[in-house]
Amino acid sequence: MGVFLMVIFVGFVFGLILNHFLPLLFLKNKKLGALPRGSFGYLPLLGETLAFLNPHPSTNIGSFLQEHCSRYGKVFKSHLFFSPTIVSCDQELNYFILQNEDKLFECSYPKPIHGVLGKISMLVVVGDTHKRLRNVALSLVSTTKSKHEFLTYIEKTTLQILDSWKDKKQVIFCQEARKFTFNVIVKQVLGLTPEEPQTVRILEDFLTFMRGLISFPLYIPGTPYANAVKARIRISSSVKQIIKERRRNNIIYNNNYNICENKNINPQKKESDFLEILLGVDTLSEDEKVSFVLDALLGGYETTSILMAMVVHFLAKSPTAFEQLKV
């Protein structure tokens, strides 16, 4: 038994070494052309992932990219998220890549991120599936944002948060920006207000999800990555329950609407949020609709709150721009 375990252990270690160093042999193939300079790191399987994931302020690119760009140039090779990788910090090259998506390049995320986002997330699918989902998304977002209620709720939420600052000696704006963004998104996407118990549960799971989204991709109970995968499952379950309740309410509404029409009574207005419009799209499966909701939460939450925080940060350092904005 001990010999058997030793063989398995040696085989595992040997596999890790091959996974890390075997690509180096293939990368020397002349058919691939000249590759940029760089390093695969010394850790089998992990490569330079740990250094890449090292936290840094949003106001700079971080020590990993700074050191590698200084040593190897703006384009260099590395080993990240279990795969040989070419990293580009060159603006012109990145623009060229983005302009030729689905032509010369295919957009994708490292495989471990698929485990967090889900296999049918619009962020990870490619080709015709991505085009189909993207077209539906653009149509849904434009329809939702064109409604008068959208801007009205944003204004109402803004005033409520500003009013809550009156008795505070200190305000951590980044946290307040996240609160504001989540309150707006969860209302417009799911029709939930901040006070509802469902909103609190979804927020807790969503914060866990965000903490593990860009983390070391090791699925061991208790790690941020494993917690994020489990949080996504819980959020999906919550969204499915909300969809089930919304469909049941729609049946009740339609029955009441017919009764009111027959009696010449004006029925109450039906909810017209993102989810309501999404439920009417017949080209999407149930799982795709749930994934759409998660993508909407993810796409609007972190990006919008960070942008707002950075605007305040840089305005504080530019008195001239701040005065012009007040005028």
Side-chain angles (χ1 to χ4, degrees):
M1 186 68 178
V3 175
F4 178 71
L5 292 176
M6 181 61 71
V7 171
I8 293 178
F9 176 75
V10 171
F12 177 73
V13 172
F14 185 68
L16 291 181
I17 295 173
L18 281 180
N19 174 273
H20 184 66
F21 291 105
L22 196 60
L24 289 172
L25 300 177
F26 289 105
L27 289 176
K28 291 181 179 180
N29 192 326
K30 293 182 179 180
K31 293 181 180 179
L32 294 176
L35 290 171
R37 296 184 303 147
S39 170
F40 271 24
Y42 300 102
L43 295 175
L45 195 65
L46 301 181
E48 299 184 305
T49 304
L50 295 178
F52 178 76
L53 291 175
N54 191 36
H56 62 85
S58 301
T59 51
N60 61 61
I61 62 175
S63 59
F64 177 85
L65 293 180
Q66 287 175 343
E67 292 172 2
H68 280 65
C69 288
S70 176
R71 181 181 300 178
Y72 305 117
K74 292 183 178 180
V75 181
F76 57 89
K77 66 184 178 185
S78 183
H79 195 287
L80 304 173
F81 297 101
F82 311 140
S83 301
T85 306
I86 302 297
V87 180
S88 172
C89 296
D90 184 270
Q91 183 177 347
E92 293 183 5
L93 176 58
N94 293 343
Y95 181 79
F96 175 79
I97 292 173
L98 292 173
Q99 289 298 308
N100 286 277
E101 185 180 340
D102 293 331
K103 298 175 185 176
L104 301 177
F105 302 92
E106 183 178 87
C107 179
S108 65
Y109 280 89
K111 288 184 179 180
I113 294 183
H114 290 214
V116 181
L117 294 176
K119 295 181 180 180
I120 57 174
S121 169
M122 188 171 61
L123 300 174
V124 299
V125 295
V126 297
D128 294 336
T129 303
H130 177 76
K131 290 180 181 179
R132 177 174 64 86
L133 296 179
R134 183 176 60 187
N135 290 336
V136 174
L138 291 173
S139 175
L140 288 170
V141 171
S142 60
T143 302
T144 304
K145 286 192 173 182
S146 64
K147 295 181 178 299
H148 173 70
E149 295 86 353
F150 180 74
L151 292 178
T152 302
Y153 186 77
I154 288 180
E155 181 181 16
K156 178 183 176 182
T157 305
T158 303
L159 294 175
Q160 286 176 343
I161 290 182
L162 289 175
D163 186 62
S164 69
W165 295 354
K166 289 181 179 179
D167 300 325
K168 292 183 179 179
K169 295 181 179 180
Q170 183 184 47
V171 173
I172 302 177
F173 187 81
C174 190
Q175 293 180 1
E176 297 295 312
R178 286 194 172 101
K179 182 194 301 181
F180 165 79
T181 305
F182 185 82
N183 289 349
V184 171
I185 291 177
V186 80
K187 173 63 177 178
Q188 296 304 317
V189 173
L190 295 173
L192 299 176
T193 60
E195 299 79 19
E196 296 184 58
Q198 281 181 309
T199 306
V200 177
R201 289 196 301 270
I202 291 175
L203 176 58
E204 290 177 355
D205 287 332
F206 188 72
L207 292 177
T208 302
F209 172 79
M210 290 301 303
R211 282 193 291 269
L213 180 59
I214 305 296
S215 63
F216 182 64
L218 188 63
Y219 192 87
I220 294 179
T223 62
Y225 180 80
N227 291 339
V229 174
K230 293 178 181 178
R232 186 194 183 280
I233 295 173
R234 290 195 298 269
I235 296 173
S236 298
S237 178
S238 297
V239 173
K240 287 180 180 179
Q241 183 61 34
I242 293 172
I243 289 176
K244 184 179 179 180
E245 292 175 0
R246 184 68 65 88
R247 283 187 172 137
R248 184 170 62 248
N249 292 338
N250 285 347
I251 294 174
I252 296 173
Y253 171 84
N254 291 332
N255 291 336
N256 291 338
Y257 185 87
N258 293 332
I259 294 173
C260 290
E261 273 198 329
N262 293 334
K263 295 184 177 181
N264 294 322
I265 301 174
N266 289 327
Q268 292 182 344
K269 287 186 177 181
K270 190 178 181 181
E271 290 186 82
S272 58
D273 51 33
F274 182 90
L275 181 60
E276 189 62 39
I277 301 171
L278 184 62
L279 291 177
V281 180
D282 298 328
T283 57
L284 297 176
S285 66
E286 186 82 354
D287 288 336
E288 284 176 333
K289 291 177 181 180
V290 173
S291 184
F292 248 103
V293 172
L294 291 173
D295 289 344
L297 292 173
L298 174 63
Y301 175 76
E302 192 73 10
T303 53
T304 306
S305 59
I306 287 179
L307 178 60
M308 291 170 59
M310 292 186 72
V311 166
V312 172
H313 172 80
F314 287 114
L315 273 177
K317 294 187 175 183
S318 179
T320 304
F322 182 66
E323 292 301 323
Q324 291 176 347
L325 185 63
K326 289 197 296 185
V327 176

